[in-house]
Amino acid sequence: SQTIHQWPATLVQPVGSPLSLECTVEGTSNPNLYWYRQAAGRGLQLLFYSVGIGQISSEVPQNLSASRPQDRQFILSSKKLLLSDSGFYLCAWNRGGDLYEQFFGPGTRLTVL
Amino acid sequence: GQQVMQIPQYQHVQEGEDFTTYCNSSTTLSNIQWYKQRPGGHPVFLIQLVKSGEVKKQKRLTFQFGEAKKNSSLHITATQTTDVGTYFCAGAGSYQLTFGKGTKLSVIP
């Protein structure tokens, strides 16, 4: 069966510090991968998605970046965090195309102070 | 770009009452998906609707997809405390989903 992992679960970082969140998927190959951000009590904002290794599409201009160095690994990064980067970061995958449901990881709760 | 509106934003019901959340898209959708997020958790897929006018049921949950494939609804009959959470609709586009802002359901025992 397929599983999706995210770490860390929680993170408290000072403003201006770098960020690296990692997501890995097991039990499937060539998944579509997604990064979402959810502000407190709000909806899901799509940040990046990837349909293959090295292929990244950005949905919202910001100080975040994403990379997919391996088929089942998706990394969210920032060189300098802002207060507004605080939120719940969710990684998700699906089997490809738009006809398949997305499976979400447990999320990383980021607080920038 | 595609926009998905969802109402109401919040709903408080007495246990046993019914609940409905509505979803409207600015464009025709290839399919619509529904997710539930429990407090402190991550979204979990509930169902996908693909056909115009489609109706699907999961126990006390009834999902509908409009004839024009631009709107959808989720109805819960006789809510229980286990139904608490935020319900999101999501419209499918090319490789990605556009989520509504969700309806947060509170159930008063």
Side-chain angles (χ1 to χ4, degrees), chain A residues 11-17 19 80-87 89 109-113:
Chain A
L11 190 60
V12 180
Q13 292 284 97
V15 169
S17 64
L19 174 74
K80 287 186 178 182
L81 284 169
L82 306 173
L83 286 174
S84 57
D85 291 325
S86 293
Y89 287 82
R109 204 163 296 278
L110 171 67
T111 303
V112 182
L113 301 174

Side-chain angles (χ1 to χ4, degrees), chain A residues 63-106:
Chain A
N63 69 320
L64 299 171
S65 62
S67 62
R68 184 170 178 174
Q70 300 180 44
D71 181 44
R72 288 167 288 177
Q73 184 184 29
F74 206 21
I75 297 172
L76 183 69
S77 304
S78 174
K79 292 181 179 178
K80 287 186 178 182
L81 284 169
L82 306 173
L83 286 174
S84 57
D85 291 325
S86 293
F88 190 38
Y89 287 82
L90 290 155
C91 181
W93 75 273
N94 75 353
R95 281 179 283 172
D98 58 10
L99 292 181
Y100 297 105
E101 67 267 30
Q102 292 188 7
F103 299 93
F104 286 81

Side-chain angles (χ1 to χ4, degrees), chain A residues 24-41:
Chain A
T24 58
V25 181
E26 296 177 355
T28 187
S29 60
N30 198 32
N32 289 343
L33 295 170
Y34 305 84
W35 277 113
Y36 292 89
R37 177 170 59 202
Q38 186 176 35

Side-chain angles (χ1 to χ4, degrees), chain B residues 24-39:
Chain B
N24 286 285
S25 170
S26 58
T27 59
T28 302
L29 301 168
S30 59
N31 73 76
I32 194 158
Q33 301 176 14
W34 285 90
Y35 293 77
K36 177 183 178 181
Q37 184 176 23
R38 294 182 186 275

Side-chain angles (χ1 to χ4, degrees), chain B residues 59-80:
Chain B
K59 297 182 180 179
R60 295 177 294 103
L61 278 62
T62 301
F63 303 85
Q64 292 188 324
F65 200 12
E67 293 291 339
K69 300 184 73 173
K70 295 180 72 173
N71 59 73
S72 181
S73 65
L74 158 59
H75 180 82
I76 302 178
T77 303
T79 55
Q80 300 175 358

